[in-house]
Amino acid sequence: MTVAASPAARRPRLRPLRLGRVAGMLGLVALLLALALAHLGVGARPVAPWTVVEALLAFDPDSFDHNVVVSLRLLRCLAGLAAGAALGLCGALVQSVTRNPLGEPHVLGLNAGAALAVVSALTFAPALERILPGLSGPAARPFLAALGAGAVFGLVVATARAGRGGLTPLKVTLCGVAFSAFAAALTSAQLILDDQTLAAVRLWLAGDLSGQSYAALQMALPPLLFGLTLALLLSGRLNALALGEDVARGLGVDLARTRFAALAAAALLCGAAVSLAGPIGFVGLVVPHAVRGMAGRDMRLVLPLSAVAGAALVLAADLAARTLFAPRELATGAMTALVGVPVFLLLAARSRR
């Protein structure tokens, strides 16, 4: 059934925001700023918040504290902000397109596909360099990760869509878990056979923000910004898609193009995040649910707020990973899993199908 709509109906408007929601959004931004200051100030040498601000705004090369903040901690903080924003936004996109409350890059195979593509490029680097020089180098890592994430997620959606019942949340989740396990098995097999690659990516595969470089951050920014822009441009169509396929068609939304564009944006965002921090899981699951509880279901609010909340969650997890067992450090991905696994089980228990 096709639903006709007037031109006015094709221009959905934002509802007036309630004071409580505005306060919640401002509080979320303030929380992110506070976590960033704490991330830069807390460590083996504590630095006061006002000294952190001074180091960022008026850097003094002769100040030891300023050098600790800018030279040692700022890069890791920026990488956490970028990776967290990308994962939060990717999760909101995936849950919207698949209409699956359990949708998450880690569960639906995007992270595993990105990791498989990067590890394969390292394992077969000599052969790849003969075909296309630079393909296995660090500069190509974000795009390889995005390609792997998109390929595996495309297989998940295509497989879930086939057969009786079409695309249901349960089928998407089961296919995602299966393809994610398959991609992880292929990655493990390559690492077992190649000790050199295993040594190079062992910490990265655990989801870790240490060992960053400005070059890696610079390479991850283009796919991240392109994916962010594409996602925000799709927000109105995703609102229509949430009303059901028939209603969306009636509002003039091209379903195939919208889903393909959303898949491309999710793959770019996941590729940027994985290339920076490895396959960190469950951020994309927890964040969109928390944001929808605060801001409602309008994707024009959910998408940007998911980026802010995702960045805050990854910074908090990395801060905990650095400080809870100091001087030893845990992988950031281990801390996000401690939060994400109980939430995933709770959502799965509440799911009716």
Side-chain angles (χ1 to χ4, degrees):
M1 182 181 70
T2 300
V3 178
S6 66
R10 297 185 183 187
R11 298 190 296 272
R13 296 176 180 176
L14 282 170
R15 292 181 178 178
L17 294 176
R18 296 177 180 175
L19 184 60
R21 287 184 176 180
V22 174
M25 294 173 198
L26 294 176
L28 184 59
V29 174
L31 174 64
L32 177 61
L33 293 176
L35 284 170
L37 284 178
H39 196 275
L40 291 171
V42 174
R45 180 182 176 85
V47 180
W50 53 85
T51 306
V52 172
V53 175
E54 190 180 61
L56 296 176
L57 299 180
F59 176 69
D60 179 4
D62 296 326
S63 168
F64 185 74
D65 284 344
H66 285 197
N67 279 290
V68 167
V69 171
V70 174
S71 303
L72 298 180
R73 297 176 184 168
L74 180 60
L75 177 58
R76 183 164 177 163
C77 180
L78 292 175
L81 288 170
L87 289 172
L89 193 54
C90 183
L93 268 178
V94 168
Q95 289 180 13
S96 175
V97 172
T98 63
R99 304 181 70 182
N100 182 357
L102 302 179
E104 199 268 340
H106 198 65
V107 175
L108 299 187
L110 282 95
N111 281 356
L116 175 61
V118 172
V119 170
S120 299
L122 292 174
T123 304
F124 301 105
L128 288 175
E129 286 298 321
R130 285 195 294 271
I131 299 172
L132 187 61
L135 187 61
S136 62
R141 182 174 290 187
F143 298 97
L144 282 172
L147 188 64
V152 172
F153 188 46
L155 286 173
V156 169
V157 173
T159 307
R161 179 176 287 277
R164 185 179 300 175
L167 197 70
T168 66
L170 178 59
K171 288 173 66 178
V172 172
T173 304
L174 292 176
C175 291
V177 171
F179 276 102
S180 184
F182 182 68
L186 291 178
T187 302
S188 299
Q190 293 182 74
L191 294 176
I192 290 173
L193 299 174
D194 189 346
D195 293 338
Q196 191 173 357
T197 302
L198 174 61
V201 300
R202 186 177 55 184
L203 278 178
W204 175 81
L205 281 175
D208 194 70
L209 284 169
S210 61
Q212 296 293 327
S213 70
Y214 280 106
L217 181 62
Q218 190 176 9
M219 287 181 293
L221 284 180
L224 191 157
L225 294 176
F226 190 77
L228 171 66
T229 305
L230 185 56
L232 295 179
L233 290 175
L234 289 171
S235 58
R237 297 182 182 183
L238 295 176
N239 275 342
L241 193 61
L243 300 175
E245 293 188 356
D246 292 336
V247 176
R249 285 195 195 94
L251 293 172
V253 175
D254 188 320
L255 299 183
R257 287 185 180 179
T258 300
R259 286 179 172 140
F260 178 79
L263 168 60
L268 287 169
L269 292 165
C270 184
V274 171
S275 70
L276 277 175
I280 292 180
F282 298 106
V283 176
L285 172 70
V286 175
V287 163
H289 286 282
V291 168
R292 281 194 292 269
M294 178 183 67
R297 294 184 174 276
D298 193 320
M299 294 300 289
R300 288 168 290 189
L301 293 175
V302 170
L303 289 174
L305 289 177
S306 293
V308 176
L313 179 56
V314 169
L315 279 191
D318 191 53
L319 186 60
R322 284 199 296 122
T323 56
L324 284 183
F325 300 98
R328 294 180 179 272
E329 289 189 13
L330 296 177
T332 311
M335 299 307 299
T336 60
L338 289 177
V339 177
V341 169
V343 174
F344 179 82
L345 294 176
L346 179 63
L347 292 172
R350 288 182 174 180
S351 179
R352 295 182 178 179
R353 291 189 298 174

